Amino acid sequence: METISPRDAQWREELRKSIPVKQRTSIPRCQMPSLDAAYRVTCNEEVNQGLSQEQAVVEATRCLDCPDPQCVTGCPVSINIPGFIKNIERGEFGQAAEVLRETSALPAVCGRVCPQEKQCESRCIYNKMKKAPVAIGYLERFAADTANAALRSGAPQPELPAEEASNGVKVAVVGSGPAGLSFAGDMARRGYKVHVFEALHEIGGVLKYGIPEFRLPNEVVDIEIEALRKMGVEFMANCVVGKTMGYDDLLNEGFRGVFVASGAGLPRFMGIPGENFVGVMSSNEYLTRVNLMGAGRPGWATPVLKGHRVAVIGGGNTAMDSCRTARRMGAEEVYIVYRRSEEEMPARVEEVIHAKEEGVTFLTLHNPVEYLSDEKGHVSAMRLQRMTLGEPDASGRRSPVPVEGDIVEMPVDEVIVSVGVSPNPLIPNSIDGLDVTRKGTLVVNDETLETTLPLLFAGGDIVRGGATVILAMGDGRRAAAAMHEKLSQAE
């Protein structure tokens, strides 16, 4: 839980008294400005445009600064949410960003892609009043973006919290996605010499290859990475641990601890007839080609299919990213095909709304059972089984049940399969002594995230399977605290 200095406690108490609770709760939640849908499908510009200073201050004024802030308990990295919001309310935007930085290595990223409606905002006291919660995610983005803009302009910066002196101990991170970056930031603050090894040519992991720039611009990710570099974190791209460098090599080079954050980059398919036809691909391949390898952009030679009638199979955020990307790649008709109803979709509500605004058609309660091809082996149609909802499954969602004999056929010339991913098998297969689950995830201690090998920790999708950015970041923080404690005891 947060620790509040006497000075902060005083001005926060003054803020509480300055505006009556009734007046604060009468303020409607702000609306995020966004690009017009007809324009944004023609480009890759960021859709959400961010809050103005006036909007941010008004929204921050809604926060009641609860004595027992449940919003903090809903945050996997335990951000001092009332602390940064109250700084925004009094116009101390730089201080708000510093409060965020105390626990989050990627506030500008989290403010854009975290599912706040299922985490911090779901715990906001406004929900009990049957009112819209404080827009915590919008405010997080505002504070981080404002601080980054000030940094680029050369404006005087607030004094940073003192970092611990270097202890000379080297630790390695495998993977530069959200788990790895969060771990690296926390260990660097503790004085460790952190080296991050990334298999791809760009640093950022799934933040670069998996999330389109219209939702998370690469520039935003690069700014966050540069902040880690200034803390002393070293990054090595094009380095595949398990191939170009082994675990034993890391130990021989003097690394005392290793954190594996290699993600879940192995796509899943459904195992139905026709998945090997030309034009059927995973969302992982599709998004990587477009986001990381520049497919479809001037000056880039990366090939990618550009269908006119595209079906995206799945209902998660990656499916939304895929269907919205297909529209930007010129598809005239794009369909989301999902076996449950829209209410059961795991995708963020905002992403569903944006997809619909951009002309995506939702075919819910349908499930593909076969793909058909033309004489050249290119997908030309798909057969869909109509579904209905039965009893809830283990996750609490109602299970889809086929409607016997109700199958429809519809023409398509591209299919993007987004039904989940499995962990990258390279690390589990290349290090002897690691326990692995039947799903390919690494077995770790639930509290410390240490694997079955001493001082080899793991977190993010390599442990969870496919999960969210903020949950991966939370793993990075927990693993950093546990590794630090163990290394300190060994001295």
Side-chain angles (χ1 to χ4, degrees), residues 418-430:
S418 183
V419 294
V421 289
S422 297
N424 188 325
L426 190 56
I427 293 294
N429 292 343
S430 65

Side-chain angles (χ1 to χ4, degrees), residues 2-332:
E2 60 178 314
T3 301
I4 306 175
S5 68
R7 175 178 171 274
D8 285 347
Q10 180 181 356
W11 65 253
R12 283 172 65 169
E13 182 62 27
E14 290 172 356
L15 279 177
R16 285 192 193 99
K17 295 178 179 178
S18 64
I19 303 175
V21 169
K22 188 174 183 180
Q23 184 176 339
R24 290 181 187 273
T25 57
S26 67
I27 302 171
R29 176 177 163 122
C30 67
Q31 297 296 314
M32 172 67 78
S34 62
L35 294 178
D36 178 72
Y39 168 73
R40 68 194 192 220
V41 296
T42 68
C43 64
N44 220 30
E45 293 179 27
E46 186 173 14
V47 171
N48 283 339
Q49 295 291 286
L51 303 181
S52 66
Q53 288 191 9
E54 181 181 5
Q55 284 178 305
V57 170
V58 171
E59 183 61 27
T61 303
R62 296 181 67 225
C63 175
L64 302 180
D65 199 8
C66 306
D68 182 21
Q70 291 302 298
C71 55
V72 177
T73 68
C75 175
V77 296
S78 301
I79 287 173
N80 176 358
I81 293 171
F84 94 80
I85 289 180
K86 288 303 159 183
N87 270 299
I88 293 176
E89 183 180 345
R90 68 190 188 121
E92 296 286 356
F93 306 137
Q95 291 296 331
E98 290 313 313
V99 172
L100 288 169
R101 290 279 180 196
E102 289 172 2
T103 53
S104 174
L106 308 169
V109 170
C110 291
R112 287 169 163 83
V113 304
C114 285
Q116 291 93 3
E117 68 275 10
K118 296 179 182 178
Q119 294 174 334
C120 54
E121 292 183 13
S122 73
R123 309 286 182 87
C124 179
I125 195 170
Y126 274 89
N127 292 301
K128 294 183 178 180
M129 305 176 192
K130 307 297 183 184
K131 294 186 176 183
V134 174
I136 298 170
Y138 293 171
L139 293 175
E140 181 179 17
R141 169 183 167 160
F142 169 81
D145 283 359
T146 301
N148 289 337
L151 183 64
R152 290 195 298 271
S153 71
Q157 299 298 302
E159 187 174 339
L160 296 175
E163 296 173 12
E164 295 184 26
S166 174
N167 57 25
V169 177
K170 292 169 58 178
V171 296
V173 184
V174 181
S176 65
L181 296 177
S182 180
F183 174 90
D186 274 24
M187 291 301 273
R189 289 187 188 93
R190 291 182 168 99
Y192 290 87
K193 297 177 68 176
V194 184
H195 296 246
V196 179
F197 299 92
E198 169 56 50
L200 298 175
H201 63 283
E202 288 269 359
I203 303 299
V206 70
L207 303 176
K208 284 285 186 73
Y209 72 75
I211 304 177
E213 287 206 78
F214 58 77
R215 198 153 69 89
L216 177 62
N218 285 342
E219 180 187 21
V220 172
V221 181
D222 290 336
I223 289 171
E224 305 282 46
I225 291 169
E226 186 58 31
L228 292 173
R229 281 198 174 98
K230 289 179 180 178
M231 294 169 61
V233 177
E234 295 188 26
F235 294 94
M236 280 68 70
N238 301 306
C239 185
V240 186
V241 175
K243 283 283 189 182
T244 59
M245 175 181 285
Y247 174 60
D248 291 338
D249 295 324
L250 294 175
L251 299 182
N252 292 335
E253 290 191 15
F255 289 99
R256 296 277 305 282
V258 178
F259 178 62
V260 178
S262 51
L266 188 65
R268 293 181 195 157
F269 285 88
M270 298 174 64
I272 62 176
E275 284 185 325
N276 60 334
F277 291 143
V278 177
V280 180
M281 71 185 77
S282 70
S283 56
N284 184 287
E285 177 187 355
Y286 182 69
L287 292 174
T288 299
R289 285 175 179 267
V290 176
N291 297 340
L292 189 65
M293 302 169 71
R297 300 183 196 178
W300 293 76
T302 305
V304 70
L305 287 169
K306 296 182 181 180
H308 298 287
R309 191 177 173 95
V310 179
V312 178
I313 315 303
N317 289 324
T318 304
M320 298 306 134
D321 288 341
S322 299
C323 69
R324 298 176 66 197
T325 296
R327 286 286 290 128
R328 285 160 175 79
M329 295 296 286
E332 297 160 8

